[in-house]
Amino acid sequence: MKHLLTGALVASALTTGAQAQEITLGRFFGACEDAGTDTETSVGEACIIQSIINAADAEIEGVSVETLPTDWGNYYDQIKAAYAGGTPPDIHVMHRHRVPEFAGIGALADLTDDLEAAGIDPADWTESARAAVTHDGAIYGVPMDLHANLWHVNMALMEQAGLVQDGKPVLPSSPEELLEHAKMLKEATGQDYLAADFAQFPIGVRLVLALLWQQGSNIFTEDGTATIETAEAQAAVEAITQLFAEDLANPQLNYADSQQAFLNGEAAVLVNGTWVVDFYTAEAAKEETGLDDYYVADFPSLFGEGATWADSHIWVIPSPLEANDAEKYQAALKVLAFINDHNIDWARTGHMAVRNSVLESETYQSLPHRAEYAGTVEIARDTPPSESYGAIQDILNRELQAIWLTDKPVEDALADAEIEVQDQLDR
Amino acid sequence: MASKRSPLSRLSQAQSAALLLLPFLATYALFLVYPFFRGVWISLHDWNLLEVAFNPDAKEFVGARNYVRVMWGRGIEWSAWARPGLQLFALAGLVLAAILHATRRIGRGPAIGLAAAALLLFVVAGIHAGEEGRWYDRRFWPTVGNTILFVALTVPGVTISALVLAAAMNRETRAMSVLRTLFFLSQVLSVTVVTLIWQIMFSPRQGLVANITELTGGSPVNWLTDERFAMAAIVIPTIWWSLGIAMILFLAGLQDISRDLYEAGALDHATGAKAFWYITLPNLKRTITVVIVLQIILHFQVFGQSHLMTQGGPNDETQVLVRYIYQTAFRDSELGRASAMAVFLFLIIGAFSVVQFLVGREKD
Amino acid sequence: MLSRSYFWLVTALSIPAFLWLVPTIWMVSLSFQPNDVLARTTSSTALGLVPIPFTADNYAALFAFGQTPMWFLNSVVVALGMTLGVLAVSTTAGFALARLNFPFKAPIVVLCLIGLMVPEQAVFIPLYTMFADLGWHNSYHALILPRMAVPIGVFLMMQFFKAIPKDIEEAARLEGVSWLQIFWHVMLPLARPAMMTLAILTFLYAWNDYLWPLVSAQQRDYFTITLGLASIQSNFAQSEGLGRVMASGVIASLPVVILFLIFQRYVVQAMTAGGSKG
C-alpha cells in the first residue's frame, strides 16, 4: 500500500512537473529512509527533517527535492569539496558558526532582498536567529532552530539520592556542590552522577566552555587573542575532573555509549543537546529502558552567571546558483520557505523554534518538557565568530581529552591549547 | 595466424613496444606524473581550497614556507640525549649492523642500509624544541610517529601469521581449501564494513568483546577511547582484514618450491619446523620481500580505520598521516600545507621501498 | 601416520579459523535481530551469535527504501571498469618491458619503479583539483581513471612475463610471427594465472577504496558501497538502528563474498597450474 502511494506521488510529480525544477539538498542529521510525508508524527531529528523534505517534494508544485548523503562526520569536508568542485547542492544546512567561513569568501547567496517575495518574513524571527544568519549586514540563510546543551535528568535516581524538590531536580550551584551531589548519588544508588560524550564529539568541550562563560571568561577575544591559560579555564576544567578523580563519572564513554548509559539508568544526568528530547521522551515511555521518569533541565550555573553552549542550524543557497540559474534559485527559495513554514514540526525534536509566532503558539508551548528548559534561550552562548571554528573546537577537544583520557596536567594542556588556538587565529 | 599480412604484423620490435606501452604511459603521465608535480607546485603556495575555487588568483607563492610551518619550529635544537631510549636503541642498531657484517651474517648492502637507518634514527631522535622553542605544528611529527607505529605493529602481524598459516595449509585437500577460504573471507569486505563490525565489536556496552569480558568476570575496556588500547583497536581489525592477500601470495610462493627439495631435506632429517626453517624460508625470500613491501606501502596509507573508528583519538593517539592530510585539505581548506605533507608521505614511502628493494635484491 | 598428524593439523587450524569468522557471524546475526532489543542488549542468545529473537525487518526496510542496491551497483561498475582497465594497460606494458628491446627501455622501467613509490594518497589533492577544473567529479570515469595509472600491475606482469622461457617466443619468431601476435596468441594465454591475481588485487582495491571516492563523489548517485556505508554508520545513526546498519553491511558484503567463493576455486587452480608449469 505504502509503495503504491509513493509510486503514485512520484508519478504525479512526473506528470504535473513537465519542467519540474530538481533541487538537490545537502544535510546531516543522519538517514531516515522511510520518513514518509507526515511532518507531524515523525520522531527524531533524522526522520522529522526528512518528512519535511519529503512533504516539500510532494507539495510544492513544479519542484522536486533530492536529498544528498546525510553523513555527519564528513559533512563540512564534503560540502567544501563540492563547492570547490563546482557542484554544491542547491540548498544545504549548516551551522551558524560556519557562516563567517562560507559567507566571508562569497560562497553563499545574499538572500536579503528575496525573502519577502518568497514568503519568508525575517521580522518574525527572534533576534538571535536573525543574528545567526546575518554576516556584514546581509542575510545569508534561513534559520531553523536554536539548539543548546541541556541537562537530561533521570528523576528516579535523583529521588533516591534525595535530590528532588517540588517535582524538580535539585541541581548544583557551585563546583563543590556538584561534587557533593555526585557523592550523595553514588552512595544512594551506586550509579554515576553525570555522563556525557567526553571521548569523541566535542560535547565535553561545550560543557567546559559553558563553565568558562559562567565566569565571564572566553577562549578568545573578538580581536583574535587566545585566552585559555587562565584561572577561570582551570576552574572550569577541574569542576569536571573532580568527578572523574572520584569515579563519579566516566570520561571514556563516547556519544552512543554515554547515551546508552543514561537510558539504562546508569547515570543520573546526561549532558547532551536539545536534539534528543523527543527521542528520550519516547524511550522513557517504554517499559524496557532503565529511564522511566525523565526531566529536562536548563544547564545549571556553577559560577554565578548563567551560560550554556548553543548554536543554530540554518539553510543556505550557494552563490553560484543565484548567479547562474534564476529559475532554480526561485525554486530553492520555495523549499526554504516551506522549511520555514514547518518550524513547529522541527521544534518537536526538542530544538527551540526561531519564529516568534511559533514560540508564542499553544502547540509549541505544550510540547513535552518544553516548560522545563524555557530558561535556556536566555543563557545560550557561543564563542566569537571565527573562520577556523572547526579547527579550534578540534584543538580544544584534543587537549581536553588529553586531560581526562591520558592524564595530561591541566596547566600544560591549557597552555598548549592557547598556543595552538592562537596559531589558528593568526592564520 | 590469419592476420599475418596486416600492417600491424610488420611493426618492428621498437614500434610494437611503443604501441603496447602507449596506453599505460598515457594514463601514467596524465594521472600520476602530472598530478605528482602539480602537488609539489601546490605545496609551494598558500592555497585555500574554497577561496581559490571562487577566485583562481587567490593563491600566493610562498616558497618552502609550508614545509617549514609543518615540519620545523622555532628554537629547534639537537642533542645526543634528547630521547635517550630511542637514541640508545639507534646506537645499538649501528653496533648490530657492524657485528652482523663482521661475522658475515649479512652482506655489505644490508649492513650499510641498517647502519644508515640506525644513524638516521639517532640523528632524528636528537632533534627537539629547546627551552624557548616550539614546533610550528605540534601535531605533525607525533602523527608520523603514530603512522610508523601502526605499520610496525600491522606488517609483522600480517606477515608472520599469513606465513605460518600458508605453510600449515599448503596441501591440496578439501579441508585445507575450506580453511583457506575462511581465512581469506574477511579480505573481500570493504573498509567501511570492517570498521562497522569492529567499532561495535569493541563497544564497551554493545560489543562482543565486552560481553565476553563480562562473562569471564572482567570489566569491559573502552577500546576505542582508552589511550592504551586505541592503537590496538585499529591494528587488530587491520590484521583480521588484510591477512588474506598475504596468505594467498605466500601459498603461490610455496607452490613454486620444488618437492624434491623437501625430499632431499627429509634424507637429512629436516622435516616439520626444521624443513620450514631451512628449506621453506630461504626459498620464500623473494615472496616475503614482495609481501612486506606491499604491506608497508599499503598500511602507511591507512586512513579509514582511524577516520571511522577512533576519529584519530583519544588525544590524537591514532591520528595517522593520511587522515591529517585529508583534514588539513578538506576541513581546514589548506591545500598548500596538506600538499607539503603529501610530498613528505611520498618521500617516506619512497625511502622504505628503496631500502626493501635493496635488501630483497641482495639476498637473491 | 600421516593422516593422524593431518587430522590434528586440521583440528588445530579450525579453532583460529572459527575465531576469524566470529566477527562476520556476529554482523550477520545482529542484522537479523530487532532494533529495540539491540538498543538494550546485543547478547540475547549465545553472546548474540545466534539471531534469537529473530526478525527480517531490517532487510525488508533496506529493500523498500534503501539506497544500498544503487551504491552496490556503482561499486560493481567502478570495480569492473578499473579491473579491465588495469589489466589492459598492465599486460601490454608488462609484456613490452619484459620481452621486447627498444630504445629508452631502462629509463622507462626505472620511471615505473619510481611510480611504484608514489602512493595514491600522496597525489589525491592535485588529482582532486585537476578533476575539479575539468568538471569530472561525480562520474564513473573520475572514480576509475586514477587507479589505472598506478604501475604496480605493470610491475607484476613484467615479473611474470620475464619468468617465461625464451624458447617459446624464439620458435614463434623463427616462423615469422609478429610481436603483437606473440603477445596476443602466446603470452596472454600463458599469463592467465597472473592476470587473475592482478584482477583480484585490483577488484578488491577498487571495492575497498574509501579516500578517493570520499573526495570525488559528493552526490549519492555516484556513491560506492564503501562510501555509502560510511555515510550511514555515523554514531548518531548507530544508536538508533544497529540491526539496520548491520543489514546494510551484510548486503554490501554478501554478493562479493559469493562472487569470491565461486571465483576462488578458479584462482587457486590457476595458481597451482601456473606453479607446476613454471
Side-chain angles (χ1 to χ4, degrees), chain A residues 32 35 38-44 47-49 51-52 278 345 348:
Chain A
C32 180
D38 185 347
T39 59
E40 285 167 21
T41 54
S42 37
V43 175
C47 290
I48 293 181
I49 192 64
S51 68
I52 296 176
D278 72 327
D345 295 314
R348 283 192 300 109

Side-chain angles (χ1 to χ4, degrees), chain A residues 3 31 33-34 66-69 71-72 74 78 80-82 84-85 87 200-201 255-256 259-260 275 279 288, chain C residues 39-40 64-67 128 132 137-138 210 214-215 217-221 223 230-232 234-236 239-240 244:
Chain A
H3 289 276
E33 284 151 352
D34 40 2
E66 201 214 352
T67 311
L68 296 176
D71 184 7
W72 241 113
N74 301 310
Q78 287 214 311
K80 278 190 197 175
T87 55
Q200 212 167 31
F201 294 102
Y255 187 87
Q259 173 166 287
Q260 206 57 50
W275 49 86
F279 176 57
E288 322 85 70
Chain C
R40 273 172 290 121
F65 306 101
Q67 298 142 22
Y128 170 81
H137 287 302
N138 295 303
Y210 173 49
L214 177 66
V215 296
Q218 299 102 26
Q219 290 172 9
R220 76 173 166 186
D221 290 359
F223 265 32
S231 79
I232 57 173
S234 67
N235 286 272
F236 287 76
S239 51
E240 286 160 23
R244 204 49 193 277

